[in-house]
Amino acid sequence: MAYRIRPDADFTDEFRSVATEQLERAAAVLEERPDGAHEAIHSFRKNLKRLRSLYRLVAREVPDFQARENARLRDAAQSLSAIRDAAALIGTAQYLQQSARGPEESEALGRIVTILEGRRDWMAAAESDLEQRLTETSGVLQEAIAALGGVCFDGGHRKTARKLGKSWRRTARKAKAALAACHGEASADDFHTLRKRTYDYRLYHGLLRDAWPGAMKAKRDAARELVEDLGHIHDLAVLSELVEAEPQLFTRNDDLAHLLDAIIFRQQEDRRQALVKAETVFTDDPDEEAQRIELLWLTAGSSRLYR
């Protein structure tokens, strides 16, 4: 089953199926690791992000379930995050090198990439308990699958449509508020919040796409591009934090100066471009969007009402 909820099917069944599939995929990739442990962890964490967004969609209906399972999945992801985060920093330095403003900066950033690769390899060698944590995490995922058996959503199709409309409104409003906070003297956390809310918004367009396939796809694609841009902004902030926390890694002062200059320049450019895209993605009024979703869901699932 794809990451989608069909409007003409029982919502509880659809919710459980989508969640179970994501959990089973996360468990399978940790067990099989077709591209190695660290890529498996990356895929696993993406599955868990999708799940946490799905659970936020129904948070008002099942608050205890959402709070408990969100904490379970968050802790599981964090337990396997260190090496993957170290690998992500390498990608960030490579991203900076690709947009280097001259050969001297490019060469300096190339040396930074090499330093970060060495740091990742050292951290990987020090992770002597990785296998144990992978095994423990598989057990956590099985517990999360079992927990889905206790989730049930009462009410008919009309109530489900109303519930989805309310959830959509909350998500869109939070995204609008996050976007407003990113203007002016915004912090890295402000842009990270916008990224998280955009991620939910993008996934909800995928989950509910059967209600209005063409329009949902166009908006989902635009939101996906924005999430990627905001991801670069977040990664640059994390790299900047590493420079502050572990300055001993960067033994050449000129390389460090090039790195900091590149981070500042790229952050400014990426923030400017992301804000332009975000204004387009979130141009609709949240109340109007929510009403549209509710009506579309009712219409798309109308055949079920007469079964």
Side-chain angles (χ1 to χ4, degrees), residues 52-299:
R52 294 176 69 188
S53 287
L54 173 66
Y55 292 170
R56 277 191 287 271
L57 181 69
V58 297
R60 294 293 180 92
E61 292 291 308
V62 286
D64 292 341
F65 169 84
Q66 190 273 336
R68 183 182 67 250
E69 295 307 305
N70 183 65
R72 189 202 304 270
L73 299 175
R74 181 196 62 227
D75 293 346
Q78 289 178 348
S79 72
L80 297 174
S81 65
I83 298 300
R84 180 59 212 174
D85 291 345
L89 287 172
I90 298 169
T92 304
Q94 291 170 333
Y95 169 68
L96 288 174
Q97 188 179 19
Q98 290 168 2
S99 57
R101 296 160 296 166
E104 186 176 343
E105 183 174 271
S106 179
E107 291 173 6
L109 292 170
R111 289 188 288 270
I112 297 295
V113 169
T114 300
I115 289 171
L116 295 175
E117 288 173 339
R119 177 178 179 269
R120 175 204 57 195
D121 294 343
W122 174 85
M123 291 177 66
E127 288 239 317
S128 58
D129 63 339
L130 179 59
E131 284 296 328
Q132 179 182 345
R133 281 186 283 129
L134 288 170
T135 301
E136 291 172 349
T137 301
S138 294
V140 170
L141 297 177
Q142 294 306 316
E143 293 171 358
I145 291 174
L148 289 168
V151 179
C152 184
F153 301 95
D154 298 327
H157 184 66
R158 186 173 296 278
K159 183 177 179 180
T160 296
R162 189 161 53 249
K163 169 178 60 188
L164 293 175
K166 289 180 179 179
S167 293
W168 194 283
R169 181 182 295 108
R170 285 193 297 272
T171 299
R173 284 178 176 175
K174 288 179 179 179
K176 284 269 195 180
L179 175 56
C182 288
H183 289 283
E185 296 297 322
S187 67
D189 284 343
D190 290 328
F191 277 88
H192 188 44
T193 298
L194 178 59
R195 180 195 182 195
K196 291 188 288 186
R197 301 290 74 82
T198 306
Y199 189 83
D200 286 341
Y201 190 73
R202 166 204 158 193
L203 289 184
Y204 293 166
H205 277 83
L207 269 175
L208 309 184
R209 62 184 178 271
D210 284 2
W212 196 10
M216 289 284 201
K217 183 182 185 306
K219 200 68 173 284
R220 185 171 78 249
D221 289 346
R224 179 187 294 113
E225 185 176 325
L226 176 57
V227 168
E228 291 176 358
D229 290 352
L230 292 168
H232 288 311
I233 294 169
H234 174 67
D235 292 343
L236 289 169
V238 174
L239 181 54
S240 181
E241 290 171 1
L242 175 69
V243 171
E244 183 175 347
E246 302 182 36
Q248 72 278 5
L249 288 173
F250 311 98
T251 55
R252 293 183 53 156
N253 289 335
D254 53 341
D255 284 357
L256 181 57
H258 280 300
L259 173 61
L260 292 174
D261 284 346
I263 289 174
I264 293 170
F265 174 77
R266 195 70 262 160
Q267 278 181 326
Q268 292 174 339
E269 288 297 300
D270 287 356
R271 284 187 175 195
R272 180 183 60 79
Q273 294 173 14
L275 287 176
V276 172
K277 292 179 181 179
E279 293 292 348
T280 300
V281 169
F282 298 112
T283 189
D284 294 330
D285 178 78
D287 292 334
E288 293 178 1
E289 270 195 299
Q291 292 171 4
R292 188 183 308 130
I293 291 298
E294 183 175 344
L295 178 59
L296 288 168
W297 199 258
L298 279 172
T299 304

Side-chain angles (χ1 to χ4, degrees), residues 43-60:
S43 297
F44 151 83
R45 291 174 69 188
K46 288 197 293 185
N47 287 125
L48 265 56
K49 284 182 180 180
R50 295 188 191 105
L51 272 166
R52 294 176 69 188
S53 287
L54 173 66
Y55 292 170
R56 277 191 287 271
L57 181 69
V58 297
R60 294 293 180 92

